């Protein structure tokens, strides 16, 4: 099990990303615009930098839904490798079974 504080921190980041998504998109549009003046671009850049650091989507980490493990997480299932194996053995994941040859 991951530390509860780390899982909670990740939830906080998700909330901040959703909260500031529209502002970030608008500011990035101004920065990349060819028609905007240099001053407007610099102003937008400063505003973007003043947004909370955790509101950036690139700071989010994939975590296992059950255990909170940060590494070895399969995107398709949202589970870490350990929990995916357990769920597969219990038959909880349809269409997935242990390989044998």
């Amino acid at each position: 099990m991951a530390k509860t504080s780390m899982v909670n921190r990740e939830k906080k980041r998700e909330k901040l990303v959703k909260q500031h998504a529209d502002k970030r998109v608008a500011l990035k549009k101004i920065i990349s615009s060819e028609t905007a003046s240099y001053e407007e671009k610099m102003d937008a850049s400063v505003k973007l930098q003043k947004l909370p650091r955790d509101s950036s989507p690139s700071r989010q980490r994939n975590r296992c839904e059950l255990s909170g493990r940060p590494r070895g997480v399969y995107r398709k299932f949202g589970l870490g490798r350990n929990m995916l194996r357990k769920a597969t053995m219990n038959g909880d994941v349809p269409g997935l079974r242990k390989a044998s040859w």
Side-chain angles (χ1 to χ4, degrees):
M1 279 301 277
K3 289 173 61 174
T4 310
S5 61
M6 299 304 285
V7 175
N8 290 339
R9 185 182 299 172
E10 204 58 46
K11 288 178 184 175
K12 179 183 173 186
R13 283 185 182 142
E14 287 176 20
K15 189 174 114 182
L16 280 172
V17 167
K18 287 179 187 175
Q19 183 179 349
H20 295 285
D22 296 334
K23 292 178 195 172
R24 292 185 79 84
V25 169
L27 291 171
K28 285 188 175 192
K29 199 173 199 177
I30 293 170
I31 293 169
S32 64
S33 172
E34 293 180 11
T35 58
S37 68
Y38 179 76
E39 289 79 21
E40 290 173 337
K41 288 183 180 186
M42 285 298 115
D43 187 42
S45 177
V46 168
K47 286 181 181 176
L48 185 64
Q49 290 172 5
K50 288 192 177 186
L51 287 177
R53 187 176 279 183
D54 282 341
S55 68
S56 173
S58 63
R59 288 180 62 93
Q60 288 181 310
R61 184 88 167 119
N62 290 341
R63 287 189 173 269
C64 175
E65 292 293 324
L66 300 177
S67 65
R69 181 182 168 86
R71 297 183 181 197
V73 179
Y74 289 85
R75 287 182 187 174
K76 185 174 183 178
F77 305 105
L79 298 174
R81 59 184 176 81
N82 304 338
M83 294 297 137
L84 182 62
R85 184 173 188 275
K86 251 185 222 179
T88 302
M89 293 300 166
N90 292 338
D92 296 338
V93 183
L96 194 65
R97 63 181 182 159
K98 187 176 177 186
S100 61
W101 59 90

